[in-house]
Coordinates of all heavy atoms in Angstrom, one line a residue:
G425 N -36.2 73.6 142.5 CA -36.3 75.0 142.6 C -36.5 75.5 144.0 O -37.1 74.8 144.8
A426 N -35.9 76.6 144.3 CA -35.9 77.2 145.7 C -36.5 78.6 145.5 O -35.9 79.4 144.7 CB -34.6 77.2 146.3
G427 N -37.5 78.9 146.2 CA -38.1 80.3 146.1 C -37.3 81.3 146.9 O -36.8 81.1 148.0
L428 N -37.0 82.4 146.2 CA -36.2 83.5 146.8 C -37.0 84.7 147.2 O -36.5 85.6 147.9 CB -35.2 84.0 145.7 CG -34.2 82.9 145.2 CD1 -33.3 83.5 144.2 CD2 -33.5 82.2 146.3
T429 N -38.3 84.7 146.9 CA -39.2 85.8 147.3 C -40.3 85.2 148.2 O -40.5 84.0 148.2 CB -39.8 86.6 146.2 OG1 -40.5 85.7 145.4 CG2 -38.7 87.2 145.3
R430 N -41.0 86.1 149.0 CA -41.9 85.7 150.0 C -43.1 85.0 149.4 O -43.7 84.1 149.9 CB -42.4 86.9 150.8 CG -43.2 86.5 152.0 CD -43.6 87.7 152.8 NE -44.3 87.4 154.0 CZ -43.7 87.1 155.2 NH1 -42.4 87.1 155.2 NH2 -44.4 86.8 156.2
D431 N -43.5 85.4 148.2 CA -44.7 84.9 147.5 C -44.5 83.7 146.6 O -45.4 83.1 146.0 CB -45.4 86.0 146.7 CG -45.8 87.1 147.6 OD1 -46.5 86.9 148.6 OD2 -45.4 88.3 147.3
T432 N -43.2 83.2 146.5 CA -42.9 82.1 145.7 C -42.9 80.8 146.5 O -42.5 80.8 147.7 CB -41.4 82.3 145.1 OG1 -41.4 83.6 144.6 CG2 -41.1 81.3 144.0
P433 N -43.3 79.7 145.9 CA -43.2 78.4 146.6 C -41.8 78.2 147.1 O -40.8 78.4 146.5 CB -43.6 77.4 145.5 CG -44.5 78.2 144.6 CD -44.0 79.6 144.6
D434 N -41.8 77.7 148.4 CA -40.5 77.5 149.0 C -39.7 76.4 148.3 O -38.4 76.5 148.2 CB -40.7 77.1 150.5 CG -41.4 78.1 151.3 OD1 -41.2 79.3 151.0 OD2 -42.3 77.8 152.1
L435 N -40.3 75.4 147.8 CA -39.6 74.2 147.2 C -40.4 73.7 146.0 O -41.7 73.6 146.1 CB -39.4 73.1 148.2 CG -38.8 71.8 147.7 CD1 -37.4 72.0 147.2 CD2 -38.9 70.7 148.7
S436 N -39.8 73.4 145.0 CA -40.4 72.7 143.8 C -39.4 71.7 143.3 O -38.2 71.9 143.2 CB -40.8 73.7 142.7 OG -39.6 74.3 142.2
L437 N -40.0 70.5 143.0 CA -39.2 69.4 142.5 C -39.9 68.9 141.2 O -41.1 68.5 141.3 CB -39.1 68.3 143.5 CG -38.3 67.1 143.1 CD1 -36.9 67.4 142.8 CD2 -38.3 66.0 144.3
T438 N -39.2 68.8 140.1 CA -39.8 68.3 138.9 C -39.0 67.2 138.3 O -37.8 67.3 138.2 CB -39.9 69.5 137.9 OG1 -40.6 70.6 138.5 CG2 -40.6 69.1 136.6
A439 N -39.7 66.2 137.8 CA -39.0 65.1 137.1 C -39.7 64.8 135.8 O -40.9 64.7 135.7 CB -39.1 63.8 137.9
R440 N -38.9 64.8 134.7 CA -39.4 64.6 133.3 C -38.7 63.4 132.7 O -37.5 63.2 132.9 CB -39.2 65.8 132.4 CG -39.8 67.1 133.0 CD -39.6 68.2 132.0 NE -40.0 69.5 132.4 CZ -39.3 70.4 133.1 NH1 -38.0 70.2 133.3 NH2 -39.8 71.6 133.5
I441 N -39.5 62.7 131.9 CA -38.9 61.5 131.1 C -39.3 61.7 129.7 O -40.3 61.1 129.2 CB -39.4 60.2 131.7 CG1 -39.0 60.1 133.2 CG2 -38.7 59.0 130.9 CD1 -39.5 58.8 133.8
P442 N -38.6 62.4 128.9 CA -38.9 62.6 127.4 C -38.6 61.3 126.7 O -37.5 60.7 126.8 CB -38.1 63.7 127.0 CG -37.0 63.8 128.0 CD -37.5 63.3 129.3
I443 N -39.6 60.8 125.9 CA -39.4 59.6 125.1 C -39.6 59.9 123.7 O -40.7 60.4 123.3 CB -40.4 58.5 125.6 CG1 -40.3 58.2 127.1 CG2 -40.2 57.2 124.8 CD1 -41.3 57.3 127.6
T444 N -38.6 59.7 122.8 CA -38.7 60.0 121.4 C -39.1 58.8 120.6 O -38.6 57.7 120.7 CB -37.3 60.5 120.9 OG1 -36.9 61.6 121.7 CG2 -37.4 61.0 119.5

Side-chain angles (χ1 to χ4, degrees):
L428 302 183
T429 59
R430 188 177 185 87
D431 301 306
T432 310
D434 300 322
L435 172 67
S436 64
L437 178 62
T438 305
R440 305 182 182 93
I441 304 178
I443 305 172
T444 303

